[in-house]
Amino acid sequence: MENQIYAIPENIMKGRASELFDHIADCLANFLDKLGIKEKKLPLGFTFSFPCQQTKLDESILVSWTKGFRVSGVEGKDVVALLRRAIQKRGDFDIDIVAVINDTVGTMMTCGYDDHHCEIGLIIGTGTNACYMEEMRNMELVEGDEGRMCVNMEWGAFGDDGVLDDLRTAFDREIDAGSLNPGKQLFEKMISGFYMGELVRLILVKMAKDQMIFQGQVTANLLTTGHFKTSQVSAIETDRDNGGLLAAKTVLQGLGLTPSTEDCVATQRVCQVVSTRAAHLCAATLVSVLRQIRDNKAAEKLRTTIGVDGSIYKCHPQFARRLHKMVRRLAPDCDVRFLQSEDGSGKGAAMVTAVAYRLALQHAERQSILNTLRLSREQLLEVKRRLEKAMEQGLAKETHPQSSVKMLPTYVRATPDGTEHGDFLALDLGGTNFRVLLVRVRSGKRRSVEMHNKIYSIPQDTMQGTGEELFDHIVHCIADFLEYMGMKGAFLPLGFTFSFPCQQRQLDQGILLKWTKGFKATGCEGEDVVTLLKDAIHRREEFDLDVVAVVNDTVGTMMTCGYEDPLCEVGLIVGTGTNACYMEEMTNVELVEGDEGRMCINMEWGAFGDGGELDDLCAEFDRIVDENSNNQGKQRYEKMISGMYLGEIVRNVLLDFTAKGLLFRGKLSERLKTRGIFETKFLSQIESDRLALRQVRSILRHLGLTSSTCDDSILVKEVCGVVGRRAAQLCGAGLAAVVDKVRRNRGLEHLRITVGVDGTLYKLHPHFSGIMRETVQDLAPCCEVSFLQSEDGSGKGAALITAVACRMRDAALH
């Protein structure tokens, strides 16, 4: 270490803010010049030893001046900002202020470098203060329960609320009344160097006036504040062969007195009483800190080190010994080592700065990585424009084959009108679970939908085996359900929710274009799923069903909500996958004959971007997730939004952070390397505001990250937030394109429309729906969009479409 000490003149200590900080900046410039390092931009740690409120490491708001400072215009201000301004004003050097710490913390850090047991810092000099390592779980002012944080006690102000009044003497009250800050720092005024000499002086004056010493004589000098120095108290208490009494004589003569030997002995005794009281008070408060640490650790016996600095502790001949002795007497169950800080708080400030500088560089690196996953309003508007264009291409006969967004006609031409009636079966196949439902629709006054269903799982090997195996499994489940409902052999109309991209040429036919969501059963792509289902039913020879409609879950969702709200003309799913549908004018649907009325279009918007439309918005992580998926290059929009992939994006960001040493101390767990381990439900849980960081930690433990810290948890939460926000915004931009198209189709200035929504991500994620709604509102300001959460769209919806189709079929027959 190289250092230089600069004085602060009295007039600056009581002057204006700009003068003090300009003076500091001048001293800095002088020091940098001397070392010849003015052109380097170095990180700076700033030990500022006054009570401050800190919300972060590089910001410190001065609460109140102490120790004789009274510079105007600083209290309530950030001292870092004031120093930065003074440095900028000079303009001849630049410095990066990384950390502001209190000298107490600096002392603890300095000593902690030499002794790892050091967890308390103590200063007894001009002022007094202490700090110690407290458990985060006890700190209600800071978020998080994990680990520890250093607390700057500001114990000089102990007693300002009156709790020490019964111990304070007339002399203490007199010192306080004459101070720059009456009523403040009362504990400090009983202990610290700034006041010790003054206390002795006041006692001597009182004794003289009471004729107890100096033959009742007082001098002008003895009556002047500040004329008895604390350094003189130290000299008077020295042990060395009568040195103390000689010192007393010299001091008293300097005050214009002619002391007798008794006067010198009495003066020495007064000094001893004042400094012993200070040492004992200090010991008592220190012991309460030791007790707190011991209780936190639930230890029988505490072994710890206290780093100490300050002129009284170092220069007073008896103070340290008396302090140690009283601490050991009051806390026999603590094994305490006192370590004197050799180079003040300077080294500690540099340590804190070095750590903070590393963290700041890492923070900047993390943010630059996360910025690739943050979208601007302009980028979102661009997504909306590109999707609008892709929709036009998908609807037009000529461009349909090239369009990434297929805009498939569903042959659903109307939403429910309330006259539907009857019993319907519904099948719902869209993910790893498969449901069979019986839906009883009643019309008229007692209009209602009553449902019974049973859930069956589809084993992984069936999902990826042959088509025959898959459909045989489905028919087996239907047979089980009919038996369960006591309806064996019934002949019912059936709606089949089949949530995969299909080409439909009529309502009761759906040609599978391609499997998605992890399905890979052979011999299905390019085939009509209704035929595959009927073949399997005939193979079983147990029952027969009237398959009326093949439905996409998105359309089912729109229909279910349409039953509740006639304004519902858009369906949206954001769950394992994502998709949307809406009512389009037949004139725009070039793939189907006829121009009358409307038809629901299943957009299959998950494939938006497969033609490169999103390449400039994709991050590195999107490319990795796509490359490792089982449908590379496909469903690019879905891979940025839906539940199946968000956890994967997060996992890849965490891997990248860890590989760069920005997270989990650079240690990778084997589990985190496993694809799909970071489930999207974790995203919803981690982002939940009610969730303490403790629970984030337990999710990380489940991922094998047993030694993750509180900071790691905060970072994981931030990554989840960024990825989730982007998904919701992209989804909102897509929806804005859809509702705006409906508005333009109808030539309206202003459109009121309802979107029926379903899907686990929309329903369970704490912020998704809110961010998505905000985005739609922002990007489609002429549309007033309401959202209705669908209660079981894919099941009830399939039955309702079947019911509407049966209603229309009956009407045509009559």
Side-chain angles (χ1 to χ4, degrees), residues 683-795:
L683 235 82
S684 299
Q685 289 168 359
I686 286 172
E687 275 232 66
S688 159
D689 297 322
R690 292 195 307 276
L691 194 72
L693 290 168
R694 259 207 303 270
Q695 285 145 298
V696 180
R697 285 280 295 278
S698 71
I699 291 171
L700 295 177
R701 280 199 195 100
H702 167 77
L703 297 175
L705 298 157
T706 42
S707 62
S708 62
T709 64
C710 178
D711 289 335
D712 290 334
S713 303
I714 292 169
L715 281 169
V716 170
K717 197 167 178 169
E718 185 181 14
V719 173
C720 292
V722 169
V723 171
R725 181 177 192 82
R726 183 185 70 155
Q729 286 177 325
L730 281 170
C731 190
L735 209 48
V738 175
V739 293
D740 245 351
K741 180 161 193 342
V742 173
R743 181 181 65 82
R744 285 197 308 276
N745 281 346
R746 300 181 188 178
L748 297 171
E749 286 280 300
H750 184 83
L751 169 74
R752 275 184 66 211
I753 193 165
T754 298
V755 178
V757 203
D758 202 352
T760 44
L761 194 61
Y762 182 87
K763 287 181 167 174
L764 301 179
H765 191 286
H767 308 305
F768 191 96
S769 59
I771 295 168
M772 183 183 84
R773 283 200 294 266
E774 258 167 48
T775 310
V776 176
Q777 203 178 347
D778 182 31
L779 303 183
C782 302
C783 302
E784 185 188 325
V785 185
S786 307
F787 291 86
L788 188 56
Q789 210 163 289
S790 147
E791 293 313 316
D792 188 30
S794 30

Side-chain angles (χ1 to χ4, degrees), residues 460 463-464 516-520 621-632 634 639 643-653 655 668-680 682 702-703:
Q460 189 80 20
M463 281 167 68
Q464 303 185 352
T516 54
K517 294 184 274 198
F519 276 75
K520 273 191 176 164
F621 309 106
D622 296 307
R623 289 186 260 285
I624 297 170
V625 168
D626 179 49
E627 280 161 22
N628 292 317
S629 66
N630 55 20
N631 56 348
Q632 197 176 337
K634 303 271 192 289
K639 282 173 186 163
M644 182 148 173
Y645 303 101
L646 292 190
E648 257 317 88
I649 298 175
V650 169
R651 188 182 69 85
N652 279 290
V653 176
L655 283 178
L668 264 186
S669 81
E670 279 309 309
R671 279 183 71 103
L672 194 59
K673 294 182 193 164
T674 318
R675 234 184 84 208
I677 187 81
F678 202 100
E679 297 166 55
T680 298
F682 292 159
H702 167 77
L703 297 175

Side-chain angles (χ1 to χ4, degrees), residues 365-377:
E365 194 179 344
R366 277 191 295 262
Q367 291 311 315
S368 75
I369 295 170
L370 288 178
N371 284 339
T372 63
L373 294 162
R374 292 186 171 112
L375 298 175
S376 65
R377 185 169 188 268

Side-chain angles (χ1 to χ4, degrees), residues 26-181:
D26 294 345
C27 297
L28 252 173
N30 172 276
F31 183 68
L32 294 175
D33 263 340
K34 273 192 180 160
L35 294 176
I37 51 173
K38 215 170 186 178
E39 66 299 326
K40 285 190 181 168
K41 182 175 178 175
L42 292 174
L44 174 106
F46 183 10
T47 303
F48 186 74
S49 311
F50 300 91
C52 286
Q53 193 75 49
Q54 282 190 264
T55 48
K56 36 187 197 279
L57 196 53
D58 63 350
E59 176 190 274
S60 212
I61 314 283
L62 176 65
V63 178
S64 58
W65 283 116
T66 54
K67 296 181 283 197
F69 273 77
R70 202 167 50 182
V71 181
S72 62
V74 187
E75 290 182 357
K77 298 267 183 6
D78 173 19
V79 296
V80 175
L82 293 171
L83 179 55
R84 276 195 187 123
R85 211 168 303 145
I87 292 172
Q88 278 158 4
K89 199 160 78 185
R90 277 191 63 100
D92 59 343
F93 67 93
D94 191 13
I95 262 178
D96 186 8
I97 304 173
V98 176
V100 192
I101 62 165
N102 183 285
D103 54 348
T104 324
V105 182
T107 298
M108 182 187 78
M109 293 296 282
T110 304
C111 295
Y113 187 71
D114 298 317
D115 178 341
H116 296 294
H117 288 288
C118 183
E119 50 193 342
I120 301 174
L122 169 67
I123 299 252
I124 317 151
T126 317
T128 181
N129 192 11
C131 69
Y132 70 101
M133 295 304 287
E134 178 57 273
E135 300 295 319
M136 283 287 284
R137 62 171 189 270
N138 296 333
M139 297 176 62
E140 294 184 4
L141 297 181
V142 185
E143 231 202 76
D145 297 328
E146 296 298 335
R148 306 201 297 169
M149 186 184 279
C150 179
V151 173
N152 164 19
M153 293 177 68
E154 286 301 334
W155 80 5
F158 177 42
D160 290 8
D161 57 354
V163 294
L164 295 176
D165 285 359
D166 54 341
L167 296 177
R168 291 174 65 233
T169 64
F171 306 112
D172 294 309
R173 292 194 180 84
E174 195 176 337
I175 274 209
D176 179 47
S179 68
L180 290 171
N181 54 350

